[in-house]
Amino acid sequence: MAKVSVFLQKSCLQHRYIRTRDNSHIVERPERLRAVNVGLAAAVARLEEVALVTPTLTSGTTAAPSATRLNDEDELTKALGKLQLSVSTSSPSEPPSQTLVTFVQSTASADLLNNPAIKFVHGDIERDVYLETLVAWAKGSQDKVAKGESEIPEGYSQGDLYLCRGSLDAIQGALGTICEAVDAVVGGAAQSVESSSLISRPSQAFVAIRPPGHHCGEDTPSGFCFVNNVAVGAAHAHLKHNITRVVIFDIDLHHGNGTQAIAWGINEETYRKQLEAEAGAPIDKPGLQIYYGSIHDILSYPCEDGKPELIQSASVSIHGPHGQHIENIHLKPYTSEQEFWDTLYPKQYLSLLEKAGDFIARTGGVRDDTLVFISCGFDANEHEYPSMSRHQRKVPASFYYRFAQDARAFAEKYASGRLISVLEGGYSDRALTSGAMAHLTGLVDTGSSGVDEKWWGLENLITLEAATKKRRGGRPSQTAIPEPWLARTTEIFASIDSSHTVPAAPRAPIPPSSRTLRERKLPNGATATNTKASPETSPGKTASAKGGVRTRPPALVTSGSESDLTDITSGTTSGDEVTSKKLPRVILKLGPGPGA
């Protein structure tokens, strides 16, 4: 397996908004993964040019999640041979000189009601009430909406939370994929399904899944999040691989209040057991200790309404007492990129890593029991929707490249290089594409090869968007592309993206209209039988310039699940909301002219 693995999960596309046909207000949408995939493909294409990187594509499996399995029946893996035709100094009969990026098409799924790691985070002592409730919500969502009710019970945010029947597959697929990534990064070498040879583990991984998770506490869904992906990944690493220390860097625009609350509870339990052990009680297994560090906008969700307990939680800095290891840093506006890179980043934001280093030292120093996660939200990106970044707490797109580099260096120093980055927020296509491109580039150790941060500059992003813009049927544009990296990007993207293969989710039925068409009066002497339409006036036909008849192309019908890469919204409007333009009334009088 390659040094960096990118884990993709097709089932995550099934989580959709079905409450109304108008989804223009929904920002946490399936198309987010398409935008991420464009950025990932572009990163690999650029890296090939400077580091001779050869990406590979594998298909995941739930039976042996740490192994690489090829499935010839999968449409995506049929493109494997094409994808492996990369820039390389090797001859066709030789293995590629370098393989630094592997795309894993995961099929893993974690049962919400029977997975130990999920129960560790979201379960109850006597009965898993929240998990059972979540499953019931998802399974009953379509029936609720059909009755004109919300699938989300009263008392929960109706604007931030939505479910459909496919949401259950998406949530379980996301959790299964992150556990698969943990197995690959922490589990060491694995045996290839296709041969008896061993394949080395990746040191780093990026997991592109949705819905996000860092706002969800033990039993409190909020902010688009129903389960906490990173927390479940940490629990899986602890329960299966004996990881006892986890470092979480949260770089989403918003404070990960759910992750911090879960980390606090786990640390509290571990601290209690340590005190009992000091008093002579037996201890069978070391507990899990978590460092949670977040860089976020204190003015945005969940603190925007000014609730004191949420603001206080998002401002906590405690290191050691009561077994807690929490650091929160507030984003600040900047006037120039020079100010950001000279002042804010090195003197304030990097202290997140410094405090994590103190956590390692305080809990026993460098040991082989440590794993690093990044809760990677791209919504602080300078290219995010203005409505999302209205408080002007942003970061340049290159932040995701440099922070990935610094986090990778931290992991190499303290965690044997083991680092897993998991997608959280990020909502505009441009923010997701540029952030993913920069971030994957930073995760890959290119050595002395020349990475150019202009790769994700505005001019190149516009060119990239035009080259990968969706056309009818969901495929990228087939416009001729002069630049090799763009051609390579579209080639890789076509092999890894599956957004076009997922059918639209069932929608709420359109209510019957009470409007009727007005009966048209026929000319004097005309009857219904002698008003046969001519080719020139028939619907679906237009007269050609030469007097012949040509077929009028049908109107383009798009679903709310499709949007162009640069679209701001992806909604459709129901028929009841369409109003026609009112034309002026014209009265034509026939008869003798004046003075006749």
Side-chain angles (χ1 to χ4, degrees):
M1 197 173 283
K3 187 172 180 59
V4 176
S5 288
V6 176
F7 288 81
L8 310 174
Q9 174 58 261
K10 181 178 178 179
S11 68
C12 289
L13 295 164
Q14 297 183 38
H15 175 58
R16 295 168 180 264
Y17 180 82
I18 62 169
R19 205 172 300 157
T20 65
R21 287 180 173 265
D22 178 13
N23 63 1
S24 59
H25 59 293
I26 300 300
V27 295
E28 205 296 287
R29 54 204 164 87
E31 294 83 3
R32 294 177 62 232
L33 295 182
R34 182 185 191 275
V36 168
N37 288 342
V38 170
L40 298 174
V44 173
R46 288 293 199 177
L47 287 168
E48 285 183 353
E49 294 183 336
V50 300
L52 300 179
V53 177
T54 301
T56 59
L57 176 66
T58 66
S59 167
T61 172
T62 55
S66 62
T68 302
R69 174 169 293 178
L70 302 180
N71 180 4
D72 293 334
E73 296 179 358
D74 193 320
E75 176 188 353
L76 293 172
T77 55
K78 290 179 182 179
L80 176 59
K82 183 178 181 182
L83 184 60
Q84 289 177 323
L85 295 176
S86 62
V87 180
S88 175
T89 58
S90 305
S91 66
S93 61
E94 295 175 345
S97 57
Q98 294 187 54
T99 303
L100 297 182
V101 177
T102 290
F103 288 98
V104 179
Q105 293 285 358
S106 176
T107 58
S109 180
D111 189 340
L112 283 180
L113 302 181
N114 292 291
N115 183 279
I118 299 174
K119 289 175 174 285
F120 186 91
V121 174
H122 294 292
D124 300 318
I125 295 176
E126 297 181 357
R127 179 166 159 245
D128 300 325
V129 176
Y130 171 65
L131 295 173
E132 293 173 0
T133 301
L134 177 58
V135 171
W137 288 351
K139 289 184 175 180
S141 58
Q142 189 65 32
D143 293 337
K144 284 278 190 180
V145 171
K147 295 176 183 177
E149 304 173 9
S150 173
E151 78 284 8
I152 300 298
E154 185 177 353
Y156 295 91
S157 174
Q158 300 296 313
D160 296 340
L161 298 174
Y162 67 87
L163 287 167
C164 67
R165 287 176 181 170
S167 298
L168 187 58
D169 290 334
I171 292 168
Q172 293 185 146
L175 294 174
T177 303
I178 197 169
C179 291
E180 182 178 5
V182 169
D183 291 342
V185 170
V186 181
Q191 183 169 314
S192 171
V193 175
E194 300 300 313
S195 68
S196 59
S197 61
L198 293 179
I199 50 178
S200 61
R201 68 172 175 86
S203 296
Q204 291 86 37
F206 179 74
V207 186
I209 53 176
R210 61 176 287 277
H214 73 150
H215 291 307
C216 184
E218 179 181 336
D219 57 359
T220 52
S222 66
F224 311 135
C225 307
F226 291 93
V227 293
N228 198 298
N229 302 315
V230 168
V232 170
H236 180 74
H238 174 61
L239 297 174
K240 183 173 181 179
H241 300 287
N242 296 318
I243 292 294
T244 62
R245 295 184 303 182
V246 167
V247 172
I248 301 174
F249 298 126
D250 192 332
I251 56 175
D252 192 275
L253 174 69
H254 308 101
H255 180 237
N257 52 319
T259 307
Q260 180 172 305
I262 290 170
W264 190 285
I266 292 173
N267 287 339
E268 184 177 43
E269 177 66 13
T270 298
Y271 184 64
R272 181 186 64 81
K273 290 182 178 179
Q274 288 176 345
L275 294 179
E276 291 175 352
E278 292 174 1
I283 183 169
D284 54 349
K285 180 180 179 180
L288 177 61
Q289 294 176 291
I290 299 178
Y291 166 86
Y292 174 77
S294 174
I295 305 174
H296 55 267
D297 177 15
I298 192 64
L299 300 176
S300 290
Y301 182 90
C303 305
E304 194 164 31
D305 293 337
K307 294 182 179 180
E309 65 275 15
L310 294 175
I311 296 174
Q312 292 167 6
S313 175
S315 306
V316 166
S317 178
I318 181 171
H319 302 279
H322 304 287
Q324 299 301 334
H325 315 278
I326 309 290
E327 179 69 7
N328 284 289
I329 300 173
H330 300 162
L331 287 167
K332 295 182 179 179
Y334 57 94
T335 57
S336 67
E337 285 206 19
Q338 182 176 355
E339 178 189 0
F340 182 90
W341 294 119
D342 290 350
T343 304
L344 289 179
Y345 186 73
K347 297 180 180 179
Q348 296 188 37
Y349 300 160
L350 278 186
S351 64
L352 203 70
L353 280 73
E354 295 172 3
K355 295 295 185 181
D358 294 341
F359 161 73
I360 296 296
R362 201 167 39 245
T363 55
V366 178
R367 299 195 310 256
D368 192 32
D369 63 349
T370 307
L371 178 61
V372 180
F373 283 95
I374 300 177
S375 271
C376 189
F378 296 123
D379 40 3
N381 193 327
E382 59 186 316
H383 300 303
E384 185 54 275
Y385 292 139
S387 59
M388 188 66 65
S389 55
R390 56 190 171 275
H391 301 295
Q392 302 303 310
R393 268 58 175 181
K394 306 178 182 179
V395 298
S398 286
F399 166 83
Y400 300 101
Y401 166 66
R402 299 195 193 184
F403 189 87
Q405 283 187 310
D406 291 330
R408 173 166 50 80
F410 176 92
E412 289 171 351
K413 182 177 181 180
Y414 295 112
S416 302
R418 297 180 295 204
L419 169 64
I420 300 174
S421 184
V422 182
L423 179 65
E424 294 284 0
Y427 303 100
S428 83
D429 290 337
R430 185 169 290 177
L432 289 161
T433 295
S434 60
M437 184 181 183
H439 192 62
L440 180 58
T441 304
L443 289 178
V444 174
D445 184 3
T446 57
S448 59
S449 300
V451 172
D452 188 350
E453 295 184 22
K454 292 181 181 178
W455 289 351
W456 44 84
L458 184 57
E459 182 178 350
N460 281 326
L461 286 175
I462 293 173
T463 303
L464 177 61
E465 290 164 358
T468 56
K469 187 176 183 179
K470 275 175 58 171
R471 294 295 188 262
R472 292 182 63 182
R475 292 289 187 176
S477 168
Q478 298 300 315
T479 305
I481 303 171
E483 298 183 68
W485 75 272
L486 277 176
R488 185 67 178 131
T489 296
T490 58
E491 182 184 11
I492 297 170
F493 173 73
S495 297
I496 66 173
D497 186 68
S498 56
S499 60
H500 59 281
T501 66
V502 179
R507 301 281 179 172
I510 300 177
S513 175
S514 60
R515 295 175 294 183
T516 59
L517 291 176
R518 195 175 49 196
E519 183 178 356
R520 179 177 296 176
K521 292 182 180 179
L522 300 176
N524 290 337
T527 64
T529 59
N530 63 9
T531 56
K532 184 178 180 179
S534 67
E536 289 79 14
T537 60
S538 296
K541 304 263 186 165
T542 57
S544 68
K546 295 183 179 180
V549 177
R550 59 185 174 85
T551 303
R552 178 187 299 138
L556 175 63
V557 179
T558 61
S559 71
S561 64
E562 292 187 351
S563 68
D564 287 343
L565 184 63
T566 54
D567 276 356
I568 294 178
T569 60
S570 59
T572 58
T573 305
S574 66
D576 286 345
E577 296 172 343
V578 177
T579 58
S580 59
K581 184 177 180 181
K582 194 170 184 178
L583 298 176
R585 184 180 182 186
V586 178
I587 301 176
L588 180 63
K589 294 183 177 180
L590 300 177

